[in-house]
Amino acid sequence: MSAHNHSAMPSALSQTLQPLQTQWTRLAPRERRSVALAGALLLLALVWWLALAPALATLRNAEAQHHTLDAQLQTMQRLQAEAQTLQSQPKMGFEEALRALEASVRQRLGSTGQLQVVGDRATVTLKGASADALARWLAQARINARALPSEVRLVRSPGAVPAGGPTWDGSLVMSLPSR
């Protein structure tokens, strides 16, 4: 930019503001105070909406977020302790794991689960198993039999939902410790 163009900018600005300055000087002192007060109120409202209100909302929500994060931390610590417990348990052989898995199917799933074993994998076929029983059985199978699901194909059972919640049909392929 040349010096001539650079000095033209303030001149253009002052020409644009000239009618406002003229109007300002025509106002009575009382009107000037009123306009200044309205401008100050507008500026204050703008500062409130852009700076203070979001900060106060964050502050109001901080305690709830803190409780949520505490609950998540406790869950993670519980899962960590459970993982460490599982890691510290002695290795389990295939036969022992299979017996524990069979017992868990009988105990937790009853007539809604059938177990078939092929090689190092066990397939559990479900017919009308409740979500609660299925969740408890999975936990027991993981802890007692050291069996983990490697394939899961579940669908919600057709028909009316019983009082205990939906039931599930399908199959789970569980990996057992090698022979």
Side-chain angles (χ1 to χ4, degrees), residues 126-130 154-162 166-170:
L126 301 172
K127 184 75 173 159
S130 75
L154 295 176
V155 294
R156 204 172 195 177
S157 299
V161 176
T167 58
W168 299 93
D169 297 339

Side-chain angles (χ1 to χ4, degrees), residues 11 17 38 100 102 116 150:
S11 173
L17 294 177
E102 288 171 338
Q116 293 177 332
S150 57

Side-chain angles (χ1 to χ4, degrees), residues 15-33:
Q15 286 177 355
T16 304
L17 294 177
Q18 184 63 40
L20 289 175
Q21 283 180 321
T22 304
Q23 186 67 25
W24 180 259
T25 55
R26 287 185 190 158
L27 294 175
R30 184 175 179 186
E31 291 173 325
R32 284 187 205 161
R33 282 192 301 272

